[in-house]
Amino acid sequence: MAAQRVAEDVARGTKQTARVRVAVRLRPYMHMQDQKGEGACVRRLDTKTLEIINWRNATETLQYQFDVFHGEETTQQEVFLSSVKPILPHLLKGQNASVFAYGPTGAGKTHTMLGSQEQPGVIPRAVRGVFNLVKAKERELEGWDYSIGMSYLEIYNEKVLDLLSPSAQDLPIRENKDRNILIPGLTHTPLSSFSNFHSHFIPASLNRTTASTKLNQRSSRSHAILLIKVVRTQRNPPHRQQIGKLYLVDLAGSEDNRRTGNKGIRLKESGAINLSLFTLSKVVDSLNAGGGGRVPYRDSKLTRLLQDSLGGSSHSVMITNIAPEYTYYFETFTALNFAAKSKQIVNKPFIRETVTVPSVQVKRSREEQEAGRSGEP
Ligand code: ADP
Ligand code: MG
């Protein structure tokens, strides 16, 4: 059995050509997160590189390089255009894609994925984008009919829960003979338009947030996964059908809850979060290393679920969110080591100045933060 599984994984390994693109997004500096008034410990150098102070040696700075680095002035639109929009057309050809936001609680994952009414994030922009692509295809009259649908689920404590049918119990994850991952029993809601999506998704995501304040910030300890499915069917015989899946994932906080001393969290819960994020990091590393070695998808529910949408012929982006304040230093450092393509130690002290953002913009983004500070959107 084990041997057979290894053989399958090796066979699968030969097809694994797709890398996971890694983008890093630095959120603006927030006074309220910096009670000692120490300023920022991270700053942008260019579109791929940032530098962070080296706490072990103040005469050194660490420089990290990624596929893309989004500095604190980057808008929601720019993040969408650079990291997400280019992958959407693949869904209409029956290929899968995934976008996930990684990083410690408070660094901007939900802002990036969901955003607010004034600054909508990746999720509303991507769904609108899929509807627009489908409309354009239908105008081309190339003989295919398209339908769009959604599912919305949460992985909490290694349990798969349906957010569109909250009474449901832990759902199983299965793989069919074509290697597609399925969740029998998961609600699938057909969508007729973007506003139709909005009316299903917003109440469900608000449900999740309201529950979270009662249940001790559960939303920062679970992975919220929105699935948008595009099915295209040939109008004439043989009526071929192709399915493209897009996963949009707001991951649990990457902070080590045991180290940060969050007493409200039972050991089992922090173990489950750490297991799935740790496995995700191993999967991303192993895909990006190439070479076709075994990819440990089966080691956690999260990676098992994303298996057919990570690697292989799919298109994936991980947006690592980080915060600039010293309070976050260790979490930032850990997240960067996971996300970086390369790291360099530079022999000069960290420069304490804000060079990337003109003061007017800093002021405005702070005001926006104050306006939107009412907790998790
Ligand atoms: P997370 O989901 O990672 O815990 P949030 O998305 O809730 O973090 O962000 C924490 C706070 O910072 C929120 O008030 C959010 O509005 C704000 N924020 C995060 N990223 C940005 C950004 N790029 N621009 C402005 N405000 C941001
Ligand atoms: Mg959040």
Side-chain angles (χ1 to χ4, degrees):
M1 180 67 195
Q4 186 195 343
R5 189 174 293 170
V6 171
E8 285 171 9
D9 284 338
V10 169
R12 203 175 308 170
T14 58
K15 291 193 297 183
Q16 267 149 13
T17 49
R19 288 184 66 243
V20 177
R21 260 170 67 87
V22 181
V24 170
R25 184 184 197 183
L26 174 64
R27 78 148 159 70
Y29 170 82
M30 291 163 88
H31 273 297
M32 56 182 292
Q33 296 293 343
D34 185 16
Q35 266 134 22
K36 292 192 203 147
E38 293 168 300
C41 62
V42 187
R43 63 181 196 123
R44 183 188 123 108
L45 290 180
D46 60 47
T47 56
K48 290 181 190 292
T49 323
L50 66 71
E51 69 176 6
I52 180 168
I53 192 162
N54 186 0
W55 71 280
R56 288 171 194 274
N57 181 347
T59 66
E60 287 176 358
T61 304
L62 303 170
Q63 294 186 354
Y64 286 84
Q65 211 181 58
F66 317 98
D67 291 320
V68 186
F69 176 62
H70 298 298
E72 58 186 306
E73 75 287 8
T74 312
T75 62
Q76 300 281 66
Q77 167 81 343
E78 285 163 347
V79 171
F80 173 70
L81 290 180
S82 125
S83 294
V84 182
K85 192 169 186 234
I87 66 180
L88 300 180
H90 301 291
L91 297 168
L92 280 70
K93 299 182 295 190
Q95 292 180 358
N96 298 340
S98 55
V99 179
F100 38 103
Y102 177 91
T105 300
K109 295 181 297 298
T110 304
H111 179 79
T112 296
M113 295 309 291
L114 186 57
S116 57
Q117 207 155 12
E118 306 75 54
Q119 299 183 55
V122 162
I123 287 175
R125 288 171 199 270
V127 175
R128 206 183 273 282
V130 170
F131 272 102
N132 289 341
L133 287 171
V134 163
K135 266 185 234 143
K137 278 282 178 208
E138 283 171 343
R139 277 197 298 271
E140 284 173 24
L141 301 170
E142 25 105 269
W144 295 80
D145 286 323
Y146 291 83
S147 68
I148 303 174
M150 71 177 277
S151 299
Y152 188 33
L153 61 138
E154 177 176 60
I155 298 182
Y156 177 67
N157 241 343
E158 289 297 281
K159 287 195 179 71
V160 178
L161 307 170
D162 189 342
L163 290 170
L164 295 178
S165 166
S167 59
Q169 297 297 305
D170 184 17
L171 297 169
I173 302 176
R174 301 263 155 75
E175 181 174 0
N176 72 8
K177 64 176 184 354
D178 298 321
R179 288 267 149 84
N180 295 313
I181 303 292
L182 312 167
I183 301 180
L186 180 68
T187 309
H188 179 78
T189 306
L191 298 174
S192 56
S193 64
F194 178 76
S195 62
N196 187 217
F197 161 75
H198 215 253
S199 65
H200 285 102
F201 177 69
I202 296 300
S205 69
L206 288 179
N207 261 344
R208 177 171 178 265
T209 315
T210 321
S212 82
T213 47
K214 287 192 210 119
L215 290 171
N216 193 11
Q217 296 300 318
R218 168 169 167 165
S219 79
S220 67
R221 306 209 304 281
S222 69
H223 311 291
I225 303 171
L226 172 66
L227 167 61
I228 300 293
K229 214 190 252 189
V230 180
V231 181
R232 72 169 192 163
T233 314
Q234 232 171 5
R235 217 164 285 151
N236 298 319
H239 301 291
R240 274 173 57 214
Q241 196 169 69
Q242 293 178 335
I243 300 177
K245 295 195 289 185
L246 170 65
Y247 282 104
L248 299 162
V249 187
D250 186 348
L251 291 169
S254 61
E255 62 274 10
D256 183 340
N257 288 301
R258 283 168 289 196
R259 194 182 65 72
T260 53
N262 191 336
K263 301 276 186 330
I265 298 185
R266 285 166 293 154
L267 207 58
K268 187 182 161 209
E269 277 173 4
S270 59
I273 298 168
N274 291 337
L275 171 75
S276 53
L277 290 178
F278 177 62
T279 307
L280 179 67
S281 73
K282 284 197 293 184
V283 166
V284 170
D285 278 348
S286 124
L287 290 171
N288 286 358
R294 192 185 94 93
V295 182
Y297 293 111
R298 289 169 190 262
D299 293 359
S300 79
K301 290 277 171 77
L302 176 71
T303 48
R304 180 69 172 141
L305 178 69
L306 294 176
Q307 177 164 348
D308 62 4
S309 308
L310 267 172
S313 62
S314 56
H315 307 266
S316 6
V317 187
M318 181 177 80
I319 304 173
T320 300
N321 291 90
I322 57 168
E325 301 85 19
Y326 277 83
T327 333
Y328 287 87
Y329 185 86
F330 284 98
E331 307 310 341
T332 303
F333 193 66
T334 315
L336 292 178
N337 284 332
F338 169 29
K341 275 176 93 167
S342 73
K343 173 175 154 187
Q344 202 187 352
I345 295 172
V346 178
N347 236 324
K348 71 173 169 65
F350 185 79
I351 304 154
R352 288 176 193 274
E353 58 179 347
T354 311
V355 288
T356 47
V357 194
S359 57
V360 180
Q361 257 182 316
V362 169
K363 191 159 173 288
R364 199 192 55 216
S365 69
R366 276 189 202 137
E367 277 158 10
E368 280 163 9
Q369 286 157 25
E370 322 244 299
R373 202 198 276 167
S374 51
E376 299 239 0

